[in-house]
Amino acid sequence: MTRAALPLIAALLLWQLLVQLTGVPRFLLPAPSEIGAALWQNRAMLAAHGLVTFAEMLAALICGAALGVLLGLWLAWSESALRLVRPVLVFSQTVPIFTLAPLLTLWLGYGFGSKLATGVLVVFFPVASAFLDALLRTPAELLDLAKVMGARRGRLLWLIRLPAAQPGLASGLRLAAVYAPIGAVLGEWVGASRGLGYLMLLANGSAKTPLMFAALVVLSALTFGLTRATGLLAARLERV
């Protein structure tokens, strides 16, 4: 048992004791033991819905990150595009994503497409923003030296600016891995027939609070795994 797990175990024990001593109704706050029982009893259903949500999270992360990288490269390459598109990109973030999710569901239906679109909208901005800022902050002495040696704009971007911006891209990817589950679950809350978000709404509507917490536990575990894997990739980018 690692020392990092001790605070979590202590919090669970305190939670269990609090529920037992106060007698709070289980539909308001179930005990950890009841959540564990719901996890075991509904393991097949949770696994099936969890697989759907994880696929949405992973696809949103990959597609959103790819879109963010391409947009960052384009804006770093073209000064005119940077002047025109960057303000629009920043302004687009003033519109809350949850207000667009119903529209995406209306346009794309209740299937995978609307969840992917919602996730991509959540993911691509932190990647594009962090990557673009890093590209634009390449040390001037490196650029000046490369220009003196006759490097053209394309070689400056690929050989100087891109390697120097990899730590910024790594930071954006770490944020994107945290945001991807938000986009997936938000899309499921708006309209879905599968996924952990859908299951949480279903459990909440039927007052099955332990099942709702069990779905939340599975979602947290998937998010932790995704962020850890993305963190390893980001660490490799930072070492290059």
Side-chain angles (χ1 to χ4, degrees):
M1 182 185 302
T2 62
R3 300 175 103 183
L6 292 178
L8 176 61
I9 295 174
L12 291 175
L13 291 175
L14 182 61
W15 181 355
Q16 181 76 30
L17 184 63
L18 178 67
V19 171
Q20 290 180 343
L21 291 178
T22 59
V24 61
R26 66 190 302 268
F27 68 87
L28 291 179
L29 182 65
S33 58
E34 295 176 319
I35 298 171
L39 275 167
W40 176 254
Q41 294 167 2
N42 300 278
R43 57 190 182 278
M45 180 173 60
L46 288 167
H49 287 283
L51 185 61
V52 172
T53 299
F54 183 73
E56 295 167 353
M57 291 162 48
L58 185 60
L61 178 60
I62 294 173
C63 295
L67 180 62
V69 168
L70 292 175
L71 183 61
L73 288 173
W74 178 46
L75 296 183
W77 171 266
S78 172
E79 293 184 3
S80 58
L82 179 64
R83 290 194 299 269
L84 292 174
V85 177
R86 194 177 193 182
V88 177
L89 182 65
V90 174
F91 177 76
S92 69
Q93 298 307 299
T94 63
V95 181
I97 297 298
F98 66 83
T99 63
L100 298 177
L103 285 175
L104 293 174
T105 302
L106 177 65
W107 294 336
L108 302 175
Y110 290 89
F112 185 82
S114 59
K115 314 305 175 293
L116 176 61
T118 305
V120 167
L121 286 177
V122 173
V123 163
F124 95 95
F125 180 78
V127 176
S129 179
F131 187 41
L132 178 60
D133 286 345
L135 287 170
L136 297 178
R137 292 177 183 172
T138 306
E141 57 270 18
L142 293 179
L143 296 175
D144 293 339
L145 179 60
K147 290 176 182 178
V148 168
M149 298 176 66
R152 295 181 180 273
R153 185 172 57 171
R155 294 182 68 84
L156 285 175
L157 178 61
W158 292 107
L159 299 181
I160 304 296
R161 300 173 73 180
L162 183 57
Q166 288 184 177
L169 175 59
S171 299
L173 289 175
R174 288 191 177 97
L175 286 174
V178 176
Y179 293 155
I182 297 174
V185 173
L186 178 60
E188 291 173 354
W189 281 349
V190 172
S193 58
R194 296 183 302 169
L196 292 174
Y198 162 78
L199 183 60
M200 291 171 67
L201 288 179
L202 194 66
N204 184 52
S206 55
K208 295 180 179 179
T209 312
L211 177 59
M212 185 172 65
F213 272 88
L216 182 59
V217 169
V218 174
L219 178 62
S220 299
L222 293 176
T223 303
F224 177 78
L226 187 64
T227 54
R228 287 285 294 177
T230 306
L232 294 175
L233 174 61
R236 293 191 63 179
L237 287 174
E238 291 172 334
R239 289 196 297 267
V240 173

